[in-house]
Amino acid sequence: MSTDPQTTPYRPPALEFKSSTFSVPVLILFDNDMVIIEQQLQEKVRQAPEFFKNSPLVFDLQELNKQEREVDIAELTKIIRKLNLLPIGIRGGTAQQNQQAITQGIPVHSIHSGSTSTPAPAPAETVKPKKITPKPDPKTEPAISTLITQPIRSGQRLYAEGDLIVLAQVSAGAEILAEGNIHVYGTLRGRALAGVQGNQEARIFCSDLQAELISIAGTYKISEDLDESVRGKPVQIYLQNENLIIQDL
Amino acid sequence: MARIIVVTSGKGGVGKTTTSAAISMGLAKKGYKTAVIDFDVGLRNLDLVMGCERRVVYDFINVINGEANLNQALIRDKHCEQLYILPASQTRDKDALSVEGVGKILEELSKEFQYIVCDSPAGIEKGAHLAMYFADDAFVVTNPEVSSVRDSDRMLGLLSSKSRRAEQNEEPIKEYLLLSRYSPDRVKLGEMLSVKDVQEILSLHLLGVIPESKSVLNASNSGIPVILDQKSDAGQAYADIVARYLGEEKPHRFIDEKKGIFGKLFGGK
């Protein structure tokens, strides 16, 4: 596309706002001794340097404030940044602590509704997570499921990181893949591959099986191998001793 | 603002140009100022079906390249004052089309016309992509046989992912199914997919069924859109389709087999 605005009336907008939810590690402090905090944080980072490298972080002062122990926000921020972590929020702070955080360019998040801390507008350059899950642990967090309400047409390919739920049909020549389970509430005529990252517990559920190919964790069956007795019926498909089992629902 | 309709199918020879000619004529006859554009650059056909091939001076590509303005290239139909045809170029290929060029022309046409019908070429390459890119509504023309249905399904996927409305997260293109060259007798013999079969595979709103008819070929050869042949079943089917598209309630016809004179007399099967 040319850059002359006169000749490009269909130029898409350059930006838009959307709300998103992020999961971010929260650092909960129980002590206000900066030396000890630095030591212990350093130790944690050393255990998983790749995970913590440039990781965003929200620090939580609720426990400290319960014990009425003061903490120097500027000093704390410095320590966190020195360890290559990027503080992007404070929560559970007092009004004074919140004010200090704002001057450091750190947005204030409320711990939950009814909290004493008031959310402040985020500075333009920082990403403000809309919601922070209470105990985020990115490693064990369940993957989100994807919901599709439109038919998936021939030639389309869809990948879901968690479960995939399709309320419409999947046409012949279409391909759907999920790291988790696949549910198809229309006719499944295309290819369906569940557990594509090796999850052998993944299953495929569909209300009308006419698939070209079904696969769980790499074990597959093509259309020709499907028994007539399971075709055109609601079934579930799962893996047992490395065999694909197709069972009526 | 004009409503842009693309007539598309994926597969060739299913009746896109016949349909484009018929529905653009139908809309114009209903009093809407309508333009019909031939996107099949390199294989000019629409002007033949519309009977204006001897009046082509400038074409779509000339306008895109700025060698002619729109008013010079638009050909007024001789049957209906409200209808204009923008022919394709026969000497260029589809690479002469560009998103910017097509967008600019459609925008200019939108100021003057109420409906713009884009006659898509077969296939899913550039010409077909640009024909549907700016569309508001899509008429998916399908024949009752498996390969045509499969190609239509593929086209529907592209409509919902590769169009301007899809790319800009706007309300999706409205898709309508037109089942053409339908022959109830052959469906009964199991030689052809039925309306029900096709709808089950495509799950799409059926705008109308156009029966297989000799009048279509006659109309094409004589350069008079079949919709003007009000005696023919195909002409009536297209008239129904235009009426349904404009919001009128019309029961579907031409789905069941015709009863011969004896069938009518005796009511037998």
Side-chain angles (χ1 to χ4, degrees), chain B residues 96-108:
Chain B
L97 292 173
S98 64
V99 178
E100 297 84 17
V102 173
K104 205 171 144 190
I105 290 181
L106 289 177
E107 192 187 35
E108 217 176 310

Side-chain angles (χ1 to χ4, degrees), chain A residues 1-2 6-13 16 18 151-156 169 171-173 187 189 210 212, chain B residues 1 99-100 103-104 106-107 134 150 153-154 156-158 160-161 164 168-169 175 200-204:
Chain A
M1 264 200 169
S2 88
Q6 295 279 300
T7 62
T8 55
Y10 290 101
R11 191 191 181 120
E16 66 174 346
K18 274 193 175 165
I152 301 173
R153 303 289 185 182
S154 174
Q156 289 187 316
Q169 61 168 352
S171 293
T187 306
R189 294 193 181 90
Q210 299 181 25
E212 292 174 337
Chain B
M1 222 19 213
V99 178
E100 297 84 17
K104 205 171 144 190
L106 289 177
E107 192 187 35
F134 295 98
R150 174 72 64 91
D153 194 57
R154 179 86 172 92
L156 287 162
L158 295 174
S160 62
S161 60
R164 182 181 60 96
Q168 299 188 358
N169 267 330
E175 302 155 342
E200 214 173 271
I201 299 173
L202 292 178
S203 52
L204 204 60

